Amino acid sequence: MTQSWQENLVSRHEEVFLRRFRGVPFAPGFPTCPDGWREIVTTLVKRVAVAAVGYLVHFSQISEKYGALRVYWAAETRLPEQLERTIEHAIELAEARSECTCSTCGAEGRLVSRGGWLLTACQQHARGVPVPVRPGMEHLHIVRGFSGDTIRMITCRRYDRVNDRFVDVDPRSVGIEEDS
């Protein structure tokens, strides 16, 4: 019997997947996402596994929700701040890439709505209505934080699918006024 790509991935990276309960191994973070995101998830797992060598870090969930990849993780001890940022950045990249990658085949895609369900699909696999995006806001990620009771912007950046990275964007260039 052949293993799925998810089973192979867990087998290759048990250090970030397997936990034990009363001596029985289980993988709470077993990837339950579509095949089109295989490379995204594989890259994410490799990045986290390499970064977390020597630390007890594991995925608690890797799944699809609202047409995008959602990833949750935990560490058994407090991690150095830089390692935590590295893991979070790897997850942000994976989630951003999923938002523009067909969940069926892995080609470039966009968010579509089908009967109340959201999914990311290429033109070939899209069976629904494209979700409208205001021009200039494509692949834009806005991260806000709190300063006391005030919400303020921390970053405004665009995901660059070709280079798999974020590029900083001046919020004013896309019509966003930054709080001070």
Side-chain angles (χ1 to χ4, degrees):
M1 183 153 101
T2 60
Q3 288 188 323
S4 68
W5 68 267
Q6 294 97 331
E7 291 167 324
N8 284 328
L9 187 62
V10 170
S11 295
R12 283 193 319 272
H13 295 284
E14 291 182 357
E15 73 279 11
V16 292
F17 281 107
L18 290 187
R19 301 289 131 236
R20 296 196 177 277
F21 180 71
R22 295 184 180 165
V24 177
F26 69 104
F30 185 89
T32 57
C33 54
D35 290 342
W37 292 343
R38 174 184 183 167
E39 290 305 314
I40 297 170
V41 173
T42 300
T43 299
L44 165 65
V45 170
K46 287 177 184 176
R47 286 175 173 166
V48 171
V50 166
V53 168
Y55 294 93
L56 297 174
V57 171
H58 66 276
F59 291 105
S60 49
Q61 184 179 1
I62 300 175
S63 61
E64 181 275 335
K65 189 171 187 176
Y66 302 118
L69 186 65
R70 297 294 179 244
V71 180
Y72 303 95
W73 65 282
E76 293 190 19
T77 59
R78 182 145 174 89
L79 301 178
E81 190 174 321
Q82 183 59 40
L83 174 56
E84 196 167 315
R85 278 198 303 260
T86 298
I87 292 169
E88 285 296 326
H89 184 68
I91 291 169
E92 289 168 357
L93 285 171
E95 290 177 344
R97 188 163 190 86
S98 75
E99 294 169 4
C100 58
T101 302
C102 179
S103 60
T104 302
C105 69
E108 188 168 352
R110 65 171 296 174
L111 192 63
V112 296
S113 176
R114 183 187 328 173
W117 290 94
L118 293 172
L119 67 142
T120 303
C122 63
Q123 282 188 322
Q124 179 183 350
H125 294 109
R127 304 284 185 270
V129 179
V131 173
V133 177
R134 193 175 98 203
M137 301 298 273
E138 301 88 351
H139 311 297
L140 197 64
H141 292 256
I142 301 166
V143 180
R144 296 183 183 271
F146 289 90
S147 178
D149 292 336
T150 306
I151 299 175
R152 63 178 200 80
M153 185 176 309
I154 296 175
T155 60
C156 185
R157 57 195 179 166
R158 186 176 313 282
Y159 178 69
D160 174 359
R161 187 176 196 277
V162 173
N163 296 302
D164 191 33
R165 66 186 180 105
F166 289 106
V167 177
D168 289 335
V169 173
D170 179 358
R172 293 170 295 201
S173 72
V174 290
I176 299 172
E177 293 298 320
E178 191 169 0
D179 297 332
S180 19

